[in-house]
Amino acid sequence: MVSFEERPNRFHPRHEEDAILLSAAWARLAGGGFEARVVGRELLDRWSEPHRRYHTLSHLWDTLRAVDILQEEASDVDAVRYALWFHDAVYEGHPGEDEEQSAWLAERLLDPLGVGPAMISEVVRLVLLTKDHRPEEGDRDGGVVCDADLAVLGSARDEYLAYVTAIRAEYREIPEREFRCGRLAVLRSLLERPRLFNTEFGRERWESRARTNISAEVDRLSGGRTGGLW
């Protein structure tokens, strides 16, 4: 059986390192048994689908690295990591439906790994939270999952611009005017929230920069400009 690391031309070159790191991370989380290897291969295949531009192996790796930073704020860090492995495993550009299908996939694939019913239910719940990223007060694991997924909002300007460009590429079939209206609605709803991040680290390190990034994008989109964010 050929490993992911040994598959020639399996990934875009910029994703090869992510694939290797992710294979190792999955083995640490799920073990090295046959079933775990099969599930890991399916997940990596899904995250490397050619139509993806932002929701790629790199995004998955970034969310898992964010969990390494936030793990002290989680109650069950393994459930959090499983949830992030599955949260965009199904990605067809259909918000809501994609998360539901991803949650169903987690329910189906975790059982053969010997993951207990309680853990599976928790992973499913956490995946579904990424529909709107609104965990309830006191939901520590939900807060970590949502903050890890949205950490890109609080990234440096160039990284945020790369994220925006990749998101537009994923919706390349949608006309510019329609995309602009939909994107503005999402961004304005984020700015209306009293807080974007749920963890202490997220609020201290990412909140202010995220609001600056989002506000700049809103200004660009509402002004009708198609160039850079600033």
Side-chain angles (χ1 to χ4, degrees), residues 30-45:
F34 175 77
E35 292 84 358
R37 294 198 304 273
V38 169
V39 172
R41 281 195 294 272
E42 176 169 348
L43 288 170
L44 288 178
D45 275 341

Side-chain angles (χ1 to χ4, degrees), residues 63-211:
T63 63
L64 293 172
R65 287 193 303 168
V67 172
D68 290 340
I69 297 172
L70 303 173
Q71 60 183 320
E72 296 301 321
E73 301 197 46
S75 297
D76 188 339
V77 73
D78 283 350
V80 166
R81 289 189 172 114
Y82 274 126
L84 288 169
W85 269 95
F86 282 96
H87 81 286
D88 283 319
V90 175
Y91 188 78
E92 298 297 336
H94 303 300
E97 182 180 338
D98 286 344
E99 288 84 358
E100 290 173 5
Q101 290 298 314
S102 295
W104 175 83
L105 186 72
E107 189 171 28
R108 179 171 67 85
L109 294 184
L110 287 177
D111 182 63
L113 302 187
V115 177
M119 169 76 85
I120 293 175
S121 294
E122 175 66 355
V123 171
V124 167
R125 183 186 75 83
L126 293 172
V127 171
L128 291 174
L129 275 179
T130 63
K131 280 185 177 184
D132 60 8
H133 302 90
R134 291 180 182 272
E136 293 184 1
E137 190 73 31
D139 181 1
R140 295 177 60 183
D141 291 340
V144 171
V145 166
C146 293
D147 283 14
D149 195 25
L150 295 182
V152 67
L153 300 179
S155 60
R157 184 177 67 178
D158 288 348
E159 185 177 347
Y160 186 84
L161 179 56
Y163 147 73
V164 169
T165 302
I167 288 292
R168 182 64 184 105
E170 284 188 336
Y171 289 92
R172 55 194 172 276
E173 295 182 359
I174 296 180
E176 179 64 24
R177 183 181 180 86
E178 183 180 345
F179 175 82
R180 189 184 296 268
C181 290
R183 181 72 178 169
L184 276 170
V186 170
L187 295 173
R188 286 169 173 156
S189 71
L190 288 171
L191 289 176
E192 289 170 359
R193 297 186 184 189
R195 66 184 187 192
L196 296 169
F197 296 97
N198 305 278
T199 62
E200 182 178 352
F201 183 95
R203 291 191 295 270
E204 291 180 355
R205 302 294 183 89
W206 297 330
E207 183 84 23
S208 177
R209 188 184 296 167
R211 290 187 178 278

Side-chain angles (χ1 to χ4, degrees), residues 11-28:
F11 300 112
H12 188 287
R14 69 182 178 183
H15 293 156
E16 288 178 359
E17 182 178 355
D18 291 328
I20 294 170
L21 293 169
L22 285 164
S23 293
W26 176 256
R28 288 193 297 272

